[in-house]
Amino acid sequence: MPPAQPLQSVRNIGVIAHIDAGKTTVTERILYFTGRTYKMGEVHDGTAVMDYMDQERERGITITAAATSAEWNDHLINIIDTPGHVDFTVEVERSLRVLDGGVVVFDAVAGVEPQSETVWRQADRYAVPRLCFVNKMDRIGADYWRTMEMIRDRLGAIPVPVQIPIGSEDRFEGVIDLIRMRAWFFGDNRDDSPHEGEIPEQYVADAGRWRETMIERIAENDEQVMISYIEGREITEKEIREALRRGAIANRFTPVLCGSALKNVGVQRLLDAIVDYLPAPDEVPPVHGVGPDGVEIERRADPDEPLTALVFKIVTDPYVGRIAYVRVYAGTLEAGSSVYNSTRQKVERAGRLLRMHAASRDDIERVTAGDIAAFVGPKETFTGDTLCSRAAPLLLDEIRFPEPVVSVAIEAKSKDDQDRLGASLRKLVEEDPTFRVEFNDETGQTVISGMGELHLEVIADRLRREFNVACSVGRPQVAYRETIRRSTEAEARFVRQTGGRGQYGHVILRVTPNQAGAGFEFEDQSAGGVVPQHFVPSVKRGIEQAMRNGVVGGYPVVDVKVALIDGSYHQVDSNEMAFATAGSMAFKEAMRKADPVQLEPVMRAELATPDEFFGDVLGDVSGRRGQVLATEVRGPLQLIRAQIPLAELFGYTTSLRSMTQGRATASIEFDHYAVIPQSVLAAAR
């Protein structure tokens, strides 16, 4: 692979979807058809190249985003295969932050599922242009048209079909290209190339009608096509492709294709669409950062601009050590060069540069603007850090990650394991920003927190296998939070006189509820130097320490605004520690007076159950303090959308299977924090 590729011929894409929609199978077929692999990996056999961790192969799911590169029609395609399970949503978040385009895979039977909505919203947040690939068209119950309606209704998108299927379920034979009005047929032999032919007679009318629909939808969102359409002029293939590219890159609509990745149907046409409709790095808006003087700086995707790169993933390799994945937005990163980490204000050396291919890698000499690669040996660099030129520093927006909602206590089984446990947990924290480790002084326990039971199960499994740490894990505990419901003020004076120099700190705080999810905000509203400026950060630090343990149940405090409004100091006895202690005392006092409440995580659940178990499942949801939001019929299944407190959901999947003879499925993800009813708190006590 050449060390530098023309920008116009680079595509940085992610494959994203709900769990089991077929993302990894699509990626495996892309690698096979581009000649990147010579043997087709299968998820169900545990041989998928992109699922390279032992846990991924055993469970048949993707856990960590894997990067690779392939070539198609003289284009370099950097691909990131992301997980679909909600516990690993961080991998999708950080991948979308650095990608220029996405392929959203939908299961033709299930349509738009809850995690499909989540990843779509994440892509919306980063304005990532997308293609839709309706997969599994060969399965019983596959419905391309219903999936298209769901994309419009549930996601609020404008789907533009550029293909329609020839048949479905066991009669699915190929696809019709609505742009060229030709059919592509796929044989039973996976190595056979698809062959092009005339549209079957029984599909000619449908194809004509859908081609008209495609052109109408493009015309509604593209002025050039609109003019040709109104004038009644024939719109050429070239005009349609150019309009589709403009609309997709501008996120005005989304081209939709279909196929069956497992049966190798439609993947080559998907590769064509990636090249034709998704943007090159210089076709997306320039990246913006903040310079040392606070002024916004714009950097274009140009190898000659000063280096600007974002680290979006850190992994620990047992043989190589720490590896940092980087997206280079501008400039050139060379092997062995020194770079400036503007987030940490440290200089790093980029040792070996690597082109990643899942677990394997190739050495390269340089990475230029618009490309994605990795380098070995970062010492002070973490996920979300900006790397740039020392001569032209800037800071890019950090990647924001959700808070963990489930905790367990973890214990090493021997003294040797105890020594290894701390170092191993540190490495895992560096890799995964949604994984937290805390030592509880009161119980003497090490507590790990993550996004769900599966997340923590995988962490514990990795500790045993990869890091050789024998450990036992306690039962999952809910990550409760505390907040306040009204404003109040409180005063605290910390005075200690023990002979000689004493301690003096005095503050008055105003504490106000903040918007849900807005976090902690601190403001200095004191006037006249009543609290010297160099002591104000100490007051804030004391408040943050007090927020770790609330006054209701000792849980972390969230969503509060705190203002320092008054105070006093002593010329000799005042110091940073005294003001930190006073800040902590005043916050605790204000918290007690501000109507404190305990919050619990509430999950969004989508349950699919056969009709005969509908009543039982609905009753069980109510028994778990769940609130049913909607029900609908989807083929032979009844769908229940509900919100249920996480505390009621441990072991729920097993219980649901028992209740429905193993025929119901559940998709559960975090939704919001809500106040715990007093009756529930009283019963728990």
Side-chain angles (χ1 to χ4, degrees), residues 259-582:
S260 167
L262 190 65
K263 299 288 176 66
N264 310 324
V265 177
V267 177
Q268 293 99 326
R269 303 288 70 80
L270 175 62
L271 278 161
D272 290 340
I274 289 168
V275 168
D276 289 345
Y277 309 132
L278 291 181
D282 59 351
E283 291 175 305
V284 294
V287 70
H288 290 83
V290 178
D293 51 3
V295 175
E296 191 173 278
I297 298 171
E298 179 181 285
R299 293 272 164 84
R300 292 176 298 107
D302 184 342
D304 297 325
E305 289 247 331
L307 175 67
T308 306
L310 184 76
V311 176
F312 65 95
K313 185 177 169 77
I314 297 284
V315 297
T316 304
D317 187 284
Y319 305 107
V320 181
R322 289 181 88 225
I323 297 176
Y325 285 67
V326 290
R327 161 70 194 263
V328 178
Y329 287 102
T332 302
L333 177 62
E334 303 214 354
S337 62
S338 290
V339 293
Y340 182 59
N341 182 331
S342 56
T343 309
R344 315 270 164 193
Q345 299 183 350
K346 304 270 187 185
V347 175
E348 279 281 16
R349 184 172 178 277
R352 290 168 58 200
L353 283 182
L354 307 172
R355 173 83 64 200
M356 301 302 294
H357 178 50
S360 62
R361 53 192 78 88
D362 303 320
D363 281 270
I364 54 176
E365 290 301 312
R366 67 182 63 81
V367 193
T368 56
D371 211 344
I372 290 173
F375 70 90
V376 175
K379 291 184 172 58
E380 304 280 348
T381 297
F382 298 89
T383 299
D385 287 2
T386 303
L387 301 180
C388 57
S389 160
R390 188 68 188 266
L394 88 165
L395 192 62
L396 300 174
D397 276 350
E398 290 189 357
I399 309 171
R400 291 177 178 81
F401 299 110
E403 287 292 310
V405 293
V406 177
S407 303
V408 296
I410 189 165
E411 228 171 63
K413 291 193 173 175
S414 70
K415 179 71 175 71
D416 286 346
D417 290 319
Q418 182 64 47
D419 295 339
R420 285 196 299 274
L421 180 64
S424 304
L425 287 173
R426 268 196 306 278
K427 288 176 181 174
L428 290 169
V429 167
E430 287 175 7
E431 285 187 21
D432 186 349
T434 58
F435 175 59
R436 305 280 167 82
V437 179
E438 290 174 358
F439 184 76
N440 190 315
D441 294 319
E442 294 176 15
T443 61
Q445 288 180 313
T446 299
V447 177
I448 60 174
S449 305
M451 299 303 295
E453 288 179 88
L454 179 62
H455 187 194
L456 296 180
E457 204 180 297
V458 168
I459 291 281
D461 201 22
R462 288 187 66 191
L463 283 169
R464 296 182 191 109
R465 293 191 195 194
E466 289 177 36
F467 299 97
N468 199 25
V469 177
C471 56
S472 52
V473 176
R475 290 188 62 200
Q477 302 291 318
V478 178
Y480 292 111
R481 297 286 184 266
E482 294 182 23
T483 193
I484 56 173
R485 291 201 280 200
R486 64 186 181 88
S487 301
T488 187
E489 292 180 8
E491 179 178 9
R493 199 184 301 267
F494 178 67
V495 184
R496 290 285 183 276
Q497 202 66 47
T498 53
R501 191 166 182 172
Q503 302 269 354
Y504 182 91
H506 170 221
V507 297
I508 301 174
L509 303 179
R510 182 188 300 118
V511 180
T512 314
N514 206 351
Q515 288 181 339
F520 167 58
E521 291 178 25
F522 176 79
E523 191 179 352
D524 177 17
Q525 294 180 357
S526 61
V530 289
V531 176
Q533 277 300 306
H534 58 282
F535 290 140
V536 172
S538 302
V539 176
K540 183 184 178 187
R541 192 168 63 251
I543 294 166
E544 287 172 335
Q545 286 170 348
M547 285 175 65
R548 291 177 188 169
N549 305 101
V551 297
V552 181
Y555 297 105
V557 179
V558 294
D559 301 337
V560 291
K561 287 182 185 176
V562 181
L564 171 62
I565 55 174
D566 207 351
S568 64
Y569 73 103
H570 188 277
Q571 199 73 41
V572 177
D573 292 349
S574 287
N575 57 36
E576 291 178 353
M577 193 186 86
F579 271 99
T581 308

Side-chain angles (χ1 to χ4, degrees), residues 164-209:
I164 62 170
I166 301 173
S168 65
E169 302 181 344
D170 58 348
R171 295 187 303 280
F172 179 55
E173 297 171 19
V175 297
I176 295 170
D177 180 347
L178 297 177
I179 300 170
R180 296 181 58 225
M181 287 302 275
R182 298 285 287 171
W184 287 95
F185 300 94
F186 299 82
D188 294 332
N189 189 334
R190 61 173 52 187
D191 291 320
D192 287 347
S193 295
H195 66 274
E196 187 180 341
E198 296 291 335
I199 298 171
E201 194 176 329
Q202 66 269 36
Y203 289 99
V204 170
D206 275 355
R209 193 173 69 253

Side-chain angles (χ1 to χ4, degrees), residues 208-226:
R209 193 173 69 253
W210 277 104
R211 187 177 199 272
E212 193 64 24
T213 300
M214 174 187 73
I215 291 171
E216 280 175 15
R217 288 188 188 171
I218 295 171
E220 285 166 8
N221 294 278
D222 189 277
E223 197 175 324
Q224 292 179 37
V225 175
M226 174 65 83

Side-chain angles (χ1 to χ4, degrees), residues 13-19 21-24 26-27 65 79-84 89 91-93 95-96 99 101-107 115-124 128-133:
I13 66 154
V15 185
I16 56 177
H18 186 91
I19 191 168
K23 294 174 305 303
T24 301
V26 168
T27 311
I79 306 164
I80 297 183
D81 175 35
T82 62
T89 189
E91 297 287 346
V92 184
E93 187 78 24
S95 301
L96 286 171
L99 292 170
V103 175
V104 188
V105 181
F106 296 97
D107 180 333
Q115 189 65 7
S116 312
E117 293 185 53
T118 302
V119 297
W120 193 273
R121 305 280 171 251
Q122 287 172 305
D124 279 345
V128 175
R130 277 146 277 177
L131 299 177
C132 294
F133 182 69

Side-chain angles (χ1 to χ4, degrees), residues 581-598:
T581 308
S584 177
M585 291 164 58
F587 180 79
K588 288 280 189 190
E589 179 60 29
M591 184 91 186
R592 290 187 190 94
K593 299 192 295 184
D595 193 10
V597 288
Q598 190 170 315

